[in-house]
Amino acid sequence: MLSLQLLAALLLLLLGLSSLQAQPYPNYHAYFTAAPKSELKWWQTGAFYQIYPRSFKDSNGDGVGDLNGIAASLPYLKELGVTATWLSPIFTSPMADFGYDIANFTEIAPIFGSMADFEQLMSVAKQLDIKIILDFVPNHSSDECDWFKRSAAGEPEYKDFYVWHPGRMVNGKRMPPSNWVSVFRGSAWAWHEGRQEYYLHQFVKKQPDLNYRNPKVREAMNNVLRFWLAKGVFGFRIDAVPHVFELAPDAQLQYRDEPRNEWVNDPDDYGYLQHIYTVDQPETINLVYEWRAVLDEFSQQQGGEERILLAETYSPIDIVMQYYGNATAEGAQLPFNFLLISDINNSSNAEAYAQTVLKWLQHMPKNRTANWVLGNHDQPRVASRLGTDRVNMLHMLTATLPGAMVSYQGEELGMTNVWISWQDTVDPSACNSNSSIYERFTRDPERTPFQWSASTDAGFSNASKTWLPIAPNYRQLNVEQQRGQPLSHLNIYKQLLQLRKERTLQLGETEVKALNGAVLAVKRSHPQDLTYLTLLNIFDGTETVNLKEHFKQLADQMQVVVVTEKSKLKVGDLINTTALQLLPKESLIVRTASTYYTYYTNGEQRLLPVLLNYLLLAQVALYLSHRIYFV
């Protein structure tokens, strides 16, 4: 009978061992266990993807991307794992600033399609569970907007819709009301012959500033938000938020001049002045709170998931944090975090990276959500700014930090800036300068068409000429080519978006440390779950680090989860945490084992301590051995 006891015990032991061998860490049942929906709102760990419509996908062969092209390409975003996509302006516009000069805030620009095309896009997005975010441009309209035409004509209802002023007399000559300079060079005031007054334009001349001290303007723009919410959009990216208010005129109805920056000698340059009266005015914060109230009211009335605001602000950190809200009012869910753009450059060491990340996390108010932005249509591409060999490591960083991540189209491929000649330059920021200095101002290089394939026009269009030239490297760098390479930028990006669904990366605590001058580490940990480490060797030297010296309670070994082409390691390999060697520009993500085993009952996820597993196995073995003995 003893042999039967041993046989039963051996059988159970073998069953246990087989489960151990089935996966490297038997105490974790699923690699990507999403956090329960009740714990997080959809946007809090969202992967947001910016589409610049002119350059994403052309469906009708005119050389300009459009809504039907976007709709046909949404399955690609689903393939990536994107939560929501923000579309740069698609509204009726004379295109003086490529859509940021809006003539009608509730119409679709014919160059992009029709309202029926937009509604079809919304239908496809809903089927794929991809949320659509629109660009909201509140600071200004086009001078071809009906509101401006009526305001210029002096119609009582619209007379004060914009910022008008008769100017000031200097030595008998009429001059602009102040010395304010446009972001796009030159005076921020333009004379209107019909009205015989100056109007303010903080951007191009064809973009007159709206007057938000007029309650009618505020309500008109609130109705713009309501219109698109009713169409099914899930929120708005707010353009140029800091510029919405300017200092009010004094008791004599005069505007103050802004002080000089002595180190800038070109009076037409935006940097010539210290912008203390034209940006970051206190009223702007409260206006964002008003817009949030419009969205919350709609959500309460219509139900469904929360609608959100993403605010574009390059303001000082203390001001940016106010956009989140205060003790009595909610603000933008995600004021954009541009620190990885503004504070990091090619020479930044690991300590600078750590300080930049912690700057946001330590300033952020309690119970708010962080976000991480690497690029957009106004900034040089990350591959050109920080190096193609850092693209993967930067995506690893933003994907494993807490909160939302925001990507600009093509960054997932490592697309680079494209040199654009003066003859091909179309960006007004550059065109308002001259051929000798335009490259300092142009944003065309980061706006070139998306690279889908090695076919004609990079698969973007079949036009004889596209609105901007195609990148010369499109045959070597495109979606089709990278899909077939396991360690391409594209496939690593897809892995990262899938990995973000893991509970630890959604809910876990965060530690960010420079292990030395070259190596940055991000630890994410969560009770009763796996611990993750993201490790970045920023420079060109080989580095050996002892992870246990920097982080408490690490196991002697950890398992590799994501690698890049820089690494000799493979997914599934075990690393020694006391002596890990990182090759030049190598980045990887590793994880440790949980002390719990994940199992499911009645459709719910449960956690069982590993030790208890073995005790239960022992009890079952003992019970079966006694049953066999007494039979």
Side-chain angles (χ1 to χ4, degrees):
M1 295 301 174
L2 184 59
S3 60
L4 289 175
Q5 282 182 281
L6 291 173
L7 182 62
L10 182 60
L11 178 61
L12 286 168
L13 182 60
L14 287 172
L15 286 172
L17 287 174
S18 67
S19 67
L20 289 177
Q21 293 171 349
Q23 50 189 13
Y25 293 122
N27 51 344
Y28 189 66
H29 184 269
Y31 286 119
F32 303 108
T33 304
K37 290 184 178 180
S38 61
E39 296 180 358
L40 289 172
K41 296 174 182 177
W42 67 267
W43 52 269
Q44 289 183 287
T45 55
F48 292 83
Y49 186 94
Q50 181 194 355
I51 286 177
Y52 193 69
R54 296 183 70 87
S55 293
F56 196 57
K57 182 67 173 175
D58 172 21
S59 71
N60 60 6
D62 65 355
V64 177
D66 47 49
L67 293 178
N68 287 335
I70 294 171
S73 304
L74 285 182
Y76 170 69
L77 300 194
K78 190 68 176 179
E79 174 189 338
L80 293 180
V82 165
T83 310
T85 182
W86 144 41
L87 309 182
S88 290
I90 54 174
F91 316 111
T92 300
S93 167
M95 298 293 167
D97 190 19
F98 296 107
Y100 284 93
D101 51 317
I102 299 173
N104 190 311
F105 289 85
T106 56
E107 286 183 351
I108 300 295
I111 197 168
F112 295 129
S114 65
M115 187 61 76
D117 294 331
F118 176 79
E119 290 166 351
Q120 173 61 20
L121 168 64
M122 293 299 297
S123 176
V124 174
K126 185 176 182 179
Q127 293 170 18
L128 294 172
D129 191 25
I130 295 174
K131 294 173 170 61
I132 300 295
I133 307 291
L134 293 185
D135 224 319
F136 178 52
V137 186
N139 180 69
H140 48 261
S141 75
S142 165
D143 63 349
E144 297 183 29
C145 179
D146 188 56
W147 297 346
F148 184 76
K149 292 176 181 178
R150 293 185 173 196
S151 186
E155 289 189 25
E157 183 73 12
Y158 293 93
K159 182 179 179 182
D160 296 325
F161 248 59
Y162 296 83
V163 181
W164 294 96
H165 197 278
R168 55 187 176 183
M169 300 302 294
V170 179
N171 298 325
K173 183 178 180 181
R174 192 178 300 277
M175 302 291 288
S178 68
N179 69 343
W180 298 350
V181 175
S182 162
V183 174
F184 290 163
R185 294 181 58 80
S187 175
W189 296 96
W191 179 256
H192 192 280
E193 282 294 334
R195 179 149 165 167
Q196 288 291 292
E197 285 190 302
Y198 290 95
Y199 65 86
L200 178 67
H201 62 93
Q202 291 202 59
F203 293 89
V204 300
K205 184 178 178 180
K206 289 182 67 63
Q207 291 171 302
D209 276 36
L210 288 158
N211 175 21
Y212 278 90
R213 289 191 166 82
N214 182 346
K216 294 177 182 178
V217 171
R218 295 162 90 121
E219 187 56 21
M221 296 305 280
N222 288 348
N223 286 334
V224 170
L225 296 176
R226 295 181 182 112
F227 176 87
W228 293 109
L229 288 169
K231 290 287 184 182
V233 305
F234 274 86
F236 303 88
R237 174 262 189 183
I238 313 172
D239 177 65
V241 178
H243 296 270
V244 172
F245 273 97
E246 60 289 324
L247 185 74
D250 61 21
Q252 288 73 45
L253 301 181
Q254 298 301 311
Y255 289 101
R256 298 180 187 177
D257 282 347
E258 291 185 319
R260 277 279 318 274
N261 281 323
E262 297 299 332
W263 57 88
V264 179
N265 296 318
D266 180 356
D268 287 336
D269 192 298
Y270 187 64
Y272 187 72
L273 300 178
Q274 299 174 39
H275 303 288
I276 60 175
Y277 300 140
T278 52
V279 297
D280 294 327
Q281 301 306 299
E283 301 95 326
T284 307
I285 304 291
N286 290 325
L287 185 59
V288 172
Y289 296 172
E290 288 183 30
W291 291 329
R292 172 64 184 272
V294 171
L295 268 63
D296 286 349
E297 179 186 44
F298 184 89
S299 296
Q300 291 163 7
Q301 292 175 351
Q302 302 298 321
E305 295 179 281
E306 184 173 356
R307 280 71 167 183
I308 70 166
L309 293 176
L310 303 89
E312 182 199 31
T313 168
Y314 288 90
S315 304
I317 189 78
D318 291 337
I319 294 175
V320 174
M321 291 301 155
Q322 296 178 46
Y323 284 100
Y324 273 119
N326 58 29
T328 59
E330 292 293 328
Q333 286 92 337
L334 299 174
F336 274 152
N337 173 7
F338 295 126
L339 295 180
L340 290 173
I341 296 175
S342 62
D343 292 12
I344 294 296
N345 57 48
N346 245 320
S347 61
S348 297
N349 63 15
E351 185 62 35
Y353 275 79
Q355 290 175 356
T356 300
V357 171
L358 292 172
K359 182 177 179 180
W360 188 275
L361 294 177
Q362 292 171 353
H363 279 82
M364 188 172 65
K366 187 178 180 182
N367 297 324
R368 300 295 177 177
T369 299
N371 69 93
W372 313 95
V373 183
L374 285 178
N376 56 45
H377 64 296
D378 290 329
Q379 300 294 336
R381 287 191 174 277
V382 65
S384 295
R385 194 172 72 247
L386 298 175
T388 56
D389 51 3
R390 289 194 178 112
V391 169
N392 291 328
M393 73 167 65
L394 290 161
H395 283 149
M396 284 186 179
L397 177 63
T398 57
T400 56
L401 285 169
M405 64 179 290
V406 185
S407 300
Y408 176 51
Q409 65 179 45
E411 305 287 27
E412 76 278 14
L413 303 176
M415 280 180 61
T416 54
N417 282 9
V418 178
W419 182 79
I420 305 295
S421 70
W422 172 246
Q423 288 72 26
D424 286 329
T425 294
V426 293
D427 178 17
S429 180
C431 292
N432 284 346
S433 63
N434 58 65
S435 60
S436 62
I437 62 173
Y438 81 97
E439 290 182 71
R440 287 169 43 201
F441 305 104
T442 183
R443 297 165 297 176
D444 290 335
E446 58 262 26
R447 297 179 176 185
T448 57
F450 191 78
Q451 292 159 217
W452 291 100
S453 69
S455 61
T456 304
D457 289 340
F460 161 73
S461 175
N462 59 7
S464 57
K465 183 179 181 181
T466 55
W467 82 281
L468 276 175
I470 305 286
N473 67 349
Y474 78 88
R475 288 186 176 86
Q476 296 78 41
L477 195 157
N478 59 69
V479 172
E480 192 175 86
Q481 176 251 3
Q482 290 198 18
R483 275 188 177 128
Q485 298 178 351
L487 294 181
S488 66
H489 296 309
L490 175 63
N491 282 323
I492 289 171
Y493 184 86
K494 286 157 64 172
Q495 290 177 51
L496 293 170
L497 265 57
Q498 178 67 12
L499 187 66
R500 282 170 58 82
K501 298 177 183 178
E502 212 283 305
R503 176 189 294 269
T504 301
L505 296 181
Q506 295 204 335
L507 299 172
E509 296 295 321
T510 305
E511 289 182 69
V512 180
K513 292 184 178 181
L515 305 190
N516 58 35
V519 179
L520 179 74
V522 177
K523 180 186 177 186
R524 301 296 308 280
S525 56
H526 188 272
Q528 305 177 357
D529 220 317
L530 297 179
T531 294
Y532 281 80
L533 277 178
T534 300
L535 300 160
L536 315 178
N537 183 7
I538 296 166
F539 296 127
D540 288 322
T542 298
E543 302 289 336
T544 300
V545 292
N546 184 339
L547 302 176
K548 296 185 76 171
E549 284 184 351
H550 298 278
F551 298 105
K552 297 177 181 178
Q553 299 177 338
L554 282 187
D556 292 335
Q557 291 185 319
M558 298 182 78
Q559 185 189 31
V560 176
V561 181
V562 183
V563 297
T564 71
E565 80 289 347
K566 296 285 183 182
S567 182
K568 293 180 180 178
L569 294 166
K570 301 184 296 297
V571 172
D573 285 352
L574 297 178
I575 60 115
N576 181 349
T577 55
T578 60
L580 172 64
Q581 186 181 82
L582 293 170
L583 299 177
K585 301 280 179 66
E586 181 179 7
S587 52
L588 68 156
I589 301 173
V590 298
R591 69 179 172 202
T592 188
S594 172
T595 56
Y596 286 75
Y597 184 94
T598 305
Y599 71 102
Y600 297 85
T601 180
N602 297 326
E604 294 185 4
Q605 176 185 300
R606 304 291 177 86
L607 295 168
L608 187 68
V610 172
L611 179 59
L612 185 55
N613 265 325
Y614 294 130
L615 289 174
L616 286 174
L617 282 174
Q619 288 175 346
V620 171
L622 183 61
Y623 171 75
L624 288 177
S625 67
H626 279 287
R627 295 268 299 182
I628 294 169
Y629 181 80
F630 287 112
V631 168

